[in-house]
């Protein structure tokens, strides 16, 4: 088992003044990067410091050979309580429009980076997930929640619209009536309801969540990585295309993928048709034999 940890957790004598570098933690274990929002004392709300550090961590992990899948989760009771009302809103607003735009760029920047990440990504929602948290939630390719995790567009409760993409995320993932109810009522839904409403793939009892996510990550890590990147990008892109445009895009996306890895798919065909060592309908070809 290989393990490489980010900095150890600080002693937290003054937890609210956590150093920027300590606002995100990660471990890499057997091909899975477990990245954690690391401000549990602030329910992992996203401050400018955390947003900057998260971008650094994503940078560091994206092209590492020992990382096949990235999981984003939270330390403590929260996944993320959304934007930091004090440090992200009040304090940056005090700095004027330039400071506000800078803080927005830093937050939206890492969410966008995650949406188009090289490796497959999984949100493991262990607890509270509010407002701005929907940005990284949507950015992850798959999402798994604890049964008792709580999801909410709480913005309406403190007097703003669900911004930072949160309205768009609700509209993308939920049926219209549910999205509208969610945005206007400011009521929370639990993990199981989040499955029903389309926000996450599955919900599990908290003690089983990590094992299920690990199982999924292991399956992903056995697939052809070029095909995974092409497939995840295509799934996001085709959402706003006509059928004809999507058809054309998919032909070209596969041809572009072939220029990165033309051998993989040929090996996939060979192991099925010639070697008869696996069936694509039942699992992935053995990429170690290529
Ligand atoms: N922004 C700034 N600070 C936040 C925060 C946020 N989004 N969420 C939590 N915190 C802070 C609290 O102010 C508190 O700080 P303090 O210890 O200095 O007083 C600390 O984190 C712990 O929060 P607390 O409210 O005591 O925890 P809780 O477990 O009782 O409640 C929540 C958890 C998530 C329900 C509650 O913190 C909350 O409603 N947070 C705001 C959610 C929200 O609307 N987010 C904005 C979306 S854009």
């Amino acid at each position: 088992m290989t393990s490489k940890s980010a900095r150890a957790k600080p002693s937290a004598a003054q937890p609210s003044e956590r150093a920027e570098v300590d606002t995100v933690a990660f471990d890499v274990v057997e091909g899975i990067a477990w990245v954690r929002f690391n401000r549990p004392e602030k329910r992992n709300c996203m401050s400018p410091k955390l947003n900057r550090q998260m971008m650094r961590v994503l940078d560091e992990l994206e092209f590492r050979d020992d990382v096949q899948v990235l999981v984003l989760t939270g330390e403590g009771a929260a996944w993320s309580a959304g934007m930091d009302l004090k440090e992200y809103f009040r304090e940056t607003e005090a700095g004027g429009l330039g400071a506000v735009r800078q803080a927005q760029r830093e937050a939206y920047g890492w969410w966008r980076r995650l949406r188009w990440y090289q490796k497959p990504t999984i949100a493991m929602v262990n607890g509270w997930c509010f407002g701005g948290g929907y940005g990284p939630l949507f950015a992850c390719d798959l999402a798994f929640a604890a049964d008792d995790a709580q999801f909410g567009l709480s913005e309406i409760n403190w007097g703003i619209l669900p911004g930072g993409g949160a309205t768009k995320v609700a509209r993308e993932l939920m049926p219209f009536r549910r999205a509208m109810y969610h945005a206007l009522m400011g009521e929370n839904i639990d993990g199981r309801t989040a499955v029903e409403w389309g926000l996450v793939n599955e919900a599990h009892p908290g003690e089983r969540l990590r094992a299920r996510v690990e199982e999924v990550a292991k399956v992903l890590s056995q697939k052809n990585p070029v095909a995974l990147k092409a497939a995840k990008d295509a799934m996001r892109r085709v959402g706003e295309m006509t059928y004809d445009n999507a058809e054309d895009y998919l032909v070209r996306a596969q041809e572009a993928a072939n220029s990165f890895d033309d051998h993989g798919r040929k090996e996939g065909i060979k192991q099925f048709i010639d070697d008869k060592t696996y069936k694509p309908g039942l699992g992935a070809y053995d990429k170690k034999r290529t």
Side-chain angles (χ1 to χ4, degrees), residues 53-280:
Q53 184 59 19
M54 191 64 88
M55 184 65 111
R56 283 187 204 106
V57 168
L58 294 181
D59 268 341
E60 173 172 345
L61 295 170
E62 188 164 19
F63 294 100
R64 263 172 56 164
D65 290 340
D66 61 340
V67 173
Q68 269 86 55
V69 178
L70 183 144
V71 176
L72 181 59
T73 189
E75 275 291 341
W79 193 69
S80 173
M83 306 320 292
D84 187 320
L85 269 60
K86 177 170 168 284
E87 295 183 34
Y88 178 84
F89 286 106
R90 193 160 69 188
E91 290 176 4
T92 56
E93 281 164 21
L97 185 61
V100 169
R101 291 286 180 266
Q102 172 70 14
Q104 288 167 337
R105 274 196 295 273
E106 287 166 351
Y108 303 169
W110 77 261
W111 304 344
R112 186 176 309 117
R113 183 66 174 281
L114 196 58
R115 280 200 303 281
W116 304 104
Y117 210 61
Q118 186 68 27
K119 312 282 169 71
T121 55
I122 303 175
M124 183 170 93
V125 184
N126 51 304
W128 304 110
C129 176
F130 285 110
Y134 282 35
L137 178 70
F138 178 63
C140 289
D141 303 320
L142 301 174
F144 295 79
D147 284 342
D148 60 359
Q150 293 285 312
F151 296 80
L153 290 180
S154 52
E155 288 91 338
I156 206 75
N157 293 338
W158 62 276
I160 69 165
L161 63 76
T167 294
K168 176 68 173 162
V169 174
R171 195 72 174 85
E172 284 286 318
L173 297 181
M174 295 175 174
F176 177 79
R177 289 288 176 211
R178 283 190 164 152
M180 188 67 91
Y181 185 94
H182 201 51
L184 299 188
M185 295 294 284
E187 292 173 1
N188 298 336
I189 57 174
D190 64 13
R192 286 170 181 227
T193 311
V195 175
E196 216 183 291
W197 289 23
L199 268 183
V200 299
N201 294 89
E202 295 173 15
H204 295 277
E207 67 279 9
R208 294 223 301 272
L209 181 60
R210 187 179 166 108
R212 174 60 183 143
V213 167
E214 200 167 348
E215 185 179 73
V216 171
K218 292 228 157 103
V219 171
L220 291 172
S221 63
Q222 282 153 20
K223 315 275 186 209
N224 179 319
V226 173
L228 282 172
K229 170 66 172 154
K232 60 182 255 174
D233 286 3
M235 192 57 77
R236 289 185 189 271
R237 294 278 184 218
V238 298
E240 55 194 29
M241 292 181 193
T242 62
Y243 193 96
D244 278 353
N245 287 346
E247 201 175 61
D248 191 44
Y249 166 87
L250 293 168
V251 167
R252 284 157 211 286
Q254 183 57 52
E255 287 170 359
N258 295 347
S259 71
F260 280 103
D261 174 25
D262 199 28
H263 182 68
R265 74 200 168 94
K266 290 181 177 161
E267 182 65 25
I269 294 173
K270 175 177 169 289
Q271 288 183 19
F272 176 50
I273 298 293
D274 304 329
D275 306 345
K276 302 200 182 301
T277 49
Y278 86 114
K279 293 177 194 285

